[in-house]
Amino acid sequence: DFERLLVAEPDASHLWVKYMAWHLSVAQLDKARAVGERALRSINFRKEGEKRNVWIALLNLEKRYGTADTLATVFRRACAEGNAKHV
């Protein structure tokens, strides 16, 4: 159960990304996006690498399933909230 794992390790981006992937595997795109957003709120701000992993997962999600507008929106947010050079 992902929820129990995330309670134990809220900063573990690999768990958040797997949870997003699980939602995508059962065709729940909106829930996958919501999990990504929740991850960004939950991961400690000092864990930049972990947050970056979630941003990359969200960018990949939007590239594959979203529109050009949703991809551009997520990209702008990722650059504004993280280190733009690494995104």
Side-chain angles (χ1 to χ4, degrees), residues 29-78:
L29 181 58
D30 289 336
K31 287 187 179 183
R33 283 183 178 119
V35 167
E37 294 295 332
R38 192 172 134 213
L40 294 172
R41 289 189 307 273
S42 299
I43 295 173
N44 187 300
F45 72 93
R46 290 184 180 99
K47 306 278 186 178
E48 292 179 14
E50 299 295 321
K51 282 197 170 219
R52 188 176 322 115
N53 292 339
V54 175
W55 279 118
I56 290 167
L58 281 169
L59 287 165
N60 286 328
L61 181 151
E62 294 303 340
K63 182 177 183 219
R64 176 132 171 106
Y65 300 103
T67 64
D69 289 338
T70 60
L71 177 61
T73 299
V74 171
F75 181 74
R76 280 193 297 274
R77 285 184 53 219

